[in-house]
Amino acid sequence: MDLHSIYSNDFPDFISEISQTSAMLRLYDIGMNCGCEYTSFPLFEGLEKYSRYTHSVGVALIVWHFSHDMRQSTAGLLHDISSPAFAHVIDFMHGDYLTQESTENGTERIIAESVEIQQCLKKYGMKTSEVADYHLYPIADNDTPRLSADRLEYTIGNIVNYRLASHEKAKELYDDLCVGINEENEQEIMFADRRKALEFAQLSMQCSRIYVSDEDRYSMQRLAELLKDCIVRGIISEEDLYIGEKNVIEKLLGTEYSANEWNRFRNYSAIMRAGNSPDSRIVYAKKRYINPFVKGYGRVSEIFQDYGILIRRYLSESQSYAITGTI
């Protein structure tokens, strides 16, 4: 998808060097679509490979573009370093499906224990405490529905990957962004042009609906159950999840039981809203959305009332119904 060319005209040495450490390269084998891309649901058909590595480097480049601050950019680069195989599926496995933050556990430990990362940090005069928590830096991360580098990167990535807009359109919208002071007197990535802000917001809402679609929620819940079952049976271990997806899949295919369960998961191709099947589940998921700020004007929902109505409608939609995957 060549997302990185959108984000920055230069690729600083410190990002290049840290991104080539073993702990970072592991993220090549952790997908952004949380296992959904392995199913046969048409919604996920034809997606390009979009890894946590691509996302993390993209976040670092966005932070660098807007701040030219090494520590903030490095924190953005390292923010997903503890992600397990299938990423937020493991939040579902741990019962953290509404906040989806359990996969962040271990970030500081991994950074501190990586000899390669520590060598890079020392070379550039940085400390673990300065880069282990990207929540410290509002350009890198902030609370929903604000726009941050993390939220911006995966939105642009999915806008392009789900073919909601072209690479060129994504770059056009990105080029309108700047850093300004929001209504709470804090720094935030924001738009200069109201119409471009609305266009981005509407595209981001399409992504939001994909993230909580029946297909997405069901896929993540069923894969979480599959993995937990196989951990209990000793087919895989929780430690295997922190190697990569290829490793886990190879182990699942290594026994008849888990291979059958994995292939069944892969063959899900349609969703029914029904509660009379053993495979029925009521699945709740975190509702992600963005309400961008426009410099000098305020939030998009304040400028364009229809978008405010769209947000309220989205947030009020129930997930309290049973869904069943079919083959």
Side-chain angles (χ1 to χ4, degrees), residues 24 27 56 92 144 148 204:
M24 278 297 302
L27 298 181
S56 298
F92 277 70
T144 299
S148 64
S204 76

Side-chain angles (χ1 to χ4, degrees), residues 122-141:
K122 184 177 180 180
K123 176 179 177 180
Y124 289 101
M126 293 184 281
K127 300 176 182 178
T128 299
S129 60
E130 297 172 323
V131 302
D133 184 4
Y134 80 136
H135 302 298
L136 296 172
Y137 307 110
I139 292 175
D141 183 63

Side-chain angles (χ1 to χ4, degrees), residues 223-242:
L223 182 52
E225 292 172 7
L226 187 163
L227 295 172
K228 187 172 184 177
D229 180 37
C230 289
I231 288 172
V232 170
R233 292 173 180 269
I235 297 168
I236 61 172
S237 68
E238 192 142 359
E239 288 72 26
D240 288 327
L241 300 174
Y242 292 89

Side-chain angles (χ1 to χ4, degrees), residues 163-289:
R163 298 176 289 278
L164 304 176
S166 66
H167 185 280
E168 291 72 25
K169 172 55 71 174
K171 179 165 176 30
E172 175 191 325
L173 296 174
Y174 182 82
D175 286 345
D176 187 63
L177 292 166
C178 59
V179 171
I181 302 299
N182 65 21
E183 70 273 43
E184 295 185 9
N185 203 34
E186 295 179 349
Q187 279 193 323
E188 184 177 345
I189 298 172
M190 57 184 64
F191 282 88
D193 183 87
R194 289 177 292 177
R195 289 292 169 183
K196 286 185 170 60
L198 176 63
E199 190 172 5
F200 175 86
Q202 291 171 331
L203 287 167
S204 76
M205 182 57 74
Q206 291 183 59
C207 290
S208 296
R209 291 193 174 280
I210 291 171
Y211 305 152
V212 296
S213 65
D214 291 350
E215 293 89 341
D216 192 287
R217 291 175 9 254
Y218 190 81
S219 297
M220 293 177 73
Q221 178 61 35
R222 293 298 276 149
L223 182 52
E225 292 172 7
L226 187 163
L227 295 172
K228 187 172 184 177
D229 180 37
C230 289
I231 288 172
V232 170
R233 292 173 180 269
I235 297 168
I236 61 172
S237 68
E238 192 142 359
E239 288 72 26
D240 288 327
L241 300 174
Y242 292 89
I243 298 174
E245 291 174 11
K246 182 179 179 182
N247 170 69
V248 173
I249 293 169
E250 286 178 352
K251 291 200 171 187
L252 293 177
L253 294 175
T255 70
E256 182 178 2
Y257 172 80
S258 54
N260 287 339
E261 291 298 302
W262 172 249
N263 287 328
R264 182 185 180 201
F265 170 77
R266 292 213 63 189
N267 286 325
Y268 283 129
S269 59
I271 283 282
M272 294 175 54
R273 294 192 179 186
N276 57 357
S277 163
D279 287 337
S280 293
R281 301 288 187 276
I282 296 176
V283 186
Y284 298 98
K286 179 179 180 179
K287 290 189 175 181
R288 303 170 183 268
Y289 71 103

Side-chain angles (χ1 to χ4, degrees), residues 21-23 109-119:
T21 60
S22 301
R109 176 186 56 78
I110 291 171
I111 295 169
E113 293 178 357
S114 169
V115 174
E116 294 171 287
I117 292 176
Q118 288 301 313
Q119 287 174 341

